Amino acid sequence: MDAAALWQRYQDWLYHHEGLGLFVDISRVRFDDAFVESIQPRFEKAFQDMQALEGGAIANPDEERMVGHYWLRDPDLAPTPELQQEIVETLEHIHTFARKVHQGEIHPPDAPKFTDILSIGIGGSALGPQFVAEALGALDAPMAVHFIDNTDPAGIDRLLTKLSDRLATTLVIITTKSGGTPETRNGMVEVKHAYEQKGLNFAQHAVAVTGVGSKFEKLAQAEGWIDIFPMPDWVGGRTSEMSAVGLLPAALQGINIDEMLAGAKEMDAATRQPTVQGNPSAMLALSWYFVGKGKGEKDMVVLPYKDSLLLFSRYLQQLVMESLGKEQDLDGNTVYQGIAVYGNKGSTDQHAYVQQLREGVPNFFVTFIEVLNDRQGQSIEVEPGATSGDFLSGFLQGTRQALYENQRDSITVTVPVVTPRTVGALIALYERAVSFYASLVNINAYHQPGVEAGKKAAATVLNLQQQVVKAVLESNQPLSLQALAIKVAPDQIESIYLIVRHLAANQRHLAITGDLGQPSSLMISAL
């Protein structure tokens, strides 16, 4: 395509939201008018599906649940007065709680104010708050935030050591819909133990974000925790940033959550337009469908050209992959859908994997995230006529052009500056794009059977571990791996080997003699 035609295509497919200052450019995705025409019927259904979802239809048939994260930033959309009131009251509760914490009305037993936040959660309960904290957290924030988002003992120790003496002035937020998520529960138990070791009352530092009526809510009530915030069952973890899950830690950090909600609401309104052209989320979904042939055949590489947006690719990884990575469609057909997402940031990647993107396997498309404003205040010139920000912009434009010249497709999303409003808009933009794409390929974007299967498999391993320990402790003599497996589960000998190797490495319950590289030589005995 010659320069004049490409410029015309750019103008034809450039979306600009004047109020938000946001642009979406899909001109460097090589679909043609015939493709747009052919996919129109699918989009007509997608727009109808979205309207039904926002109206309160059962959008997650597996769990017979509504999906209402859009109502969080526009309560008037909620289908019942009770839900509207719940949303408004929760937001007021968050504002009041944050104000009281900042003013010292709510404070730890032996200090005038809380200084830090320790957020314990996993998946959407961590990734959204982490992304927002990285993007919007100020150096002079009223409270510093820290996260436990894994069940890694060394990682937990490292964080608790970092907090050390400030543990006494740390507010702990534990986010779990039911209380049954093992990683979150483990983090709570570890942190509670750390408080007890220091002679501190954990309940006087703890806040719960959980489902109404859940076992975890009852635990927090029984132990007298500081406060409890609701986690609606109609909001999934990966779309929960605009609920108490994300808004509570953000408000405590001094981030303007009303502006986040306003930005998301503006983007939601823009993406209700029932046409592809002029609807930024539909334009993204169109591009994803085209480059992957509706089967996710190409990976999405997300490159934010701004340090504060570093975690956006991680956030999108869950939002996109957990929503779209499905074995079956809504009709029960095996389809193996999904789009793999990875990324880091520009221009770091000019010196990392852009070489492969330019000349390697063409199994991807790129999404550039551009921020127009370089910094607060004026920039010096690092060489005549050019600032550091000019170089950053030049690297983005140059990489985009180089990829296009070598038949690599790309999308560019541009915001004027990283603020609560634009971050809210970006979150809403991609939430809606995921919903549209899911409709295009006829899958349920709101369940996660693979995640649940992984949890069940882990529970099976832990149950097997208990049987292994019991068998070893009850034995009067060392057991070979084969003999141990016969006693416990003959068809699970590999899992048993992995269990005893892990337990022995941590000096727990049992010891191993023999060559670990030759499992059949091992003898297992009680410690």
Side-chain angles (χ1 to χ4, degrees):
M1 186 178 293
D2 63 31
L6 190 58
W7 169 237
Q8 186 59 54
R9 179 177 175 81
Y10 177 80
Q11 295 178 82
D12 291 343
W13 283 101
L14 179 66
Y15 172 84
H16 178 223
H17 190 293
E18 188 172 358
L20 291 166
L22 179 143
F23 299 82
V24 174
D25 162 33
I26 61 171
S27 64
R28 266 49 174 187
V29 180
R30 290 174 169 78
F31 57 83
D32 57 19
D33 291 344
F35 171 77
V36 176
E37 183 66 27
S38 71
I39 203 171
Q40 193 60 40
R42 290 178 185 260
F43 267 106
E44 289 172 4
K45 179 179 181 298
F47 295 135
Q48 292 170 4
D49 289 346
M50 180 59 66
Q51 188 174 14
L53 181 147
E54 288 193 322
I58 298 300
N60 186 354
D62 286 18
E63 300 174 3
E64 286 298 307
R65 286 180 179 171
M66 300 181 293
V67 173
H69 49 277
Y70 300 109
W71 310 332
L72 295 168
R73 48 261 199 172
D74 192 351
D76 291 341
L77 291 177
T80 68
E82 292 78 15
L83 285 176
Q84 293 173 13
Q85 184 178 3
E86 177 187 334
I87 295 165
V88 171
E89 288 180 351
T90 299
L91 183 58
E92 290 174 353
H93 186 186
I94 291 168
H95 276 299
T96 301
F97 182 81
R99 176 179 53 78
K100 288 182 175 181
V101 170
H102 292 159
Q103 293 178 353
E105 293 179 48
I106 297 173
H107 60 86
D110 300 316
K113 284 188 178 182
F114 283 107
T115 58
D116 293 75
I117 308 156
L118 175 52
S119 176
I120 302 175
I122 191 140
S125 298
L127 287 167
Q130 285 173 328
F131 162 54
V132 168
E134 181 76 14
L136 300 173
L139 293 176
D140 60 349
M143 301 176 76
V145 67
H146 317 271
F147 295 91
I148 290 178
D149 62 352
N150 199 3
T151 187
D152 174 16
I156 294 170
D157 287 348
R158 182 178 181 183
L159 180 53
L160 291 175
T161 300
K162 179 181 178 182
L163 282 170
S164 188
D165 294 339
R166 296 204 309 279
L167 204 62
T169 57
T170 294
L171 183 71
V172 183
I173 303 173
I174 301 175
T175 304
T176 173
K177 188 171 282 188
S178 66
T181 305
E183 296 92 336
T184 305
R185 183 202 61 224
N186 295 354
M188 179 191 72
V189 172
E190 293 263 10
V191 171
K192 188 175 183 180
H193 175 71
Y195 273 85
E196 291 169 349
Q197 290 293 101
K198 287 182 174 287
L200 300 169
N201 185 331
F202 176 71
Q204 293 177 318
H205 296 77
V207 173
V209 180
T210 188
V212 176
S214 69
K215 290 181 179 178
F216 197 70
E217 182 188 55
K218 292 179 172 62
L219 171 71
Q221 289 170 338
E223 294 187 354
W225 289 20
I226 295 173
D227 212 334
I228 302 170
F229 292 81
M231 190 174 182
D233 66 359
W234 37 266
V235 175
R238 57 191 174 276
T239 55
S240 65
E241 180 55 31
M242 304 292 174
S243 72
V245 172
L247 297 183
L248 177 60
L252 288 166
Q253 292 168 76
I255 294 168
N256 190 329
I257 59 174
D258 291 331
E259 279 293 291
M260 279 181 59
L261 292 165
K265 181 179 178 179
E266 281 189 81
M267 181 53 67
D268 287 345
T271 56
R272 288 190 188 104
Q273 179 170 318
T275 60
V276 175
Q277 209 158 9
N279 181 325
S281 292
M283 291 165 63
L284 292 180
L286 170 87
S287 302
W288 298 354
Y289 192 98
F290 175 78
V291 296
K293 299 179 181 177
K295 299 176 181 178
E297 291 183 0
K298 293 195 175 183
D299 302 340
M300 183 190 306
V301 180
V302 180
L303 301 181
Y305 276 65
K306 205 67 173 178
D307 286 359
S308 62
L309 298 181
L310 169 66
L311 296 184
F312 193 45
S313 57
R314 277 189 72 197
Y315 170 77
L316 288 181
Q317 197 168 59
Q318 185 194 16
L319 176 64
V320 173
M321 295 179 72
E322 192 170 5
S323 299
L324 302 181
K326 303 296 161 63
E327 181 176 348
Q328 294 185 331
D329 66 12
L330 289 169
D331 299 320
N333 302 310
T334 299
V335 291
Y336 297 120
Q337 277 290 353
I339 301 175
V341 179
Y342 62 94
N344 189 3
K345 67 179 180 181
S347 66
T348 300
D349 290 318
Q350 309 297 135
H351 305 280
Y353 52 72
V354 164
Q355 168 61 32
Q356 176 165 319
L357 300 185
R358 177 71 172 84
E359 298 184 0
V361 183
N363 62 344
F364 68 91
F365 64 100
V366 169
T367 297
F368 295 102
I369 309 293
E370 178 185 27
V371 180
L372 293 178
N373 183 263
D374 291 338
R375 58 154 48 106
Q376 290 184 351
Q378 295 298 308
S379 291
I380 63 168
E381 292 186 354
V382 294
E383 65 177 47
T387 67
S388 297
D390 295 338
F391 272 92
L392 191 65
S393 179
F395 284 136
L396 187 157
Q397 293 183 50
T399 302
R400 172 174 172 269
Q401 181 61 24
L403 293 176
Y404 183 75
E405 289 173 352
N406 215 25
Q407 306 299 306
R408 270 75 167 161
D409 290 329
S410 71
I411 297 165
T412 303
V413 176
T414 302
V415 294
V417 65
V418 179
T419 64
R421 194 156 161 261
T422 55
V423 166
L426 283 173
I427 290 171
L429 172 71
Y430 277 89
E431 284 178 348
R432 187 85 69 167
V434 163
S435 294
F436 284 146
Y437 184 88
S439 181
L440 295 181
V441 299
N442 193 39
I443 60 169
N444 180 359
Y446 301 108
H447 69 161
Q448 48 281 334
V451 175
E452 299 306 319
K455 290 180 181 178
K456 291 176 182 176
T460 299
V461 171
L462 292 171
N463 181 58
L464 180 61
Q465 176 175 304
Q466 291 182 344
Q467 296 177 55
V468 166
V469 171
K470 183 173 184 289
V472 172
L473 294 179
E474 289 178 350
S475 177
N476 295 321
Q477 59 185 8
L479 296 169
S480 69
L481 190 64
Q482 184 70 32
L484 178 58
I486 290 171
K487 282 179 173 289
V488 177
D491 61 339
Q492 296 292 316
I493 189 167
E494 182 177 318
S495 291
I496 292 169
Y497 166 68
L498 297 175
I499 287 168
V500 298
R501 187 179 68 179
H502 176 252
L503 291 174
N506 289 279
Q507 296 85 49
R508 293 175 56 224
H509 307 303
L510 51 83
I512 296 176
T513 57
D515 183 354
L516 284 168
Q518 299 291 328
S520 60
S521 74
L522 299 180
M523 299 298 292
I524 301 104
S525 57
L527 274 178

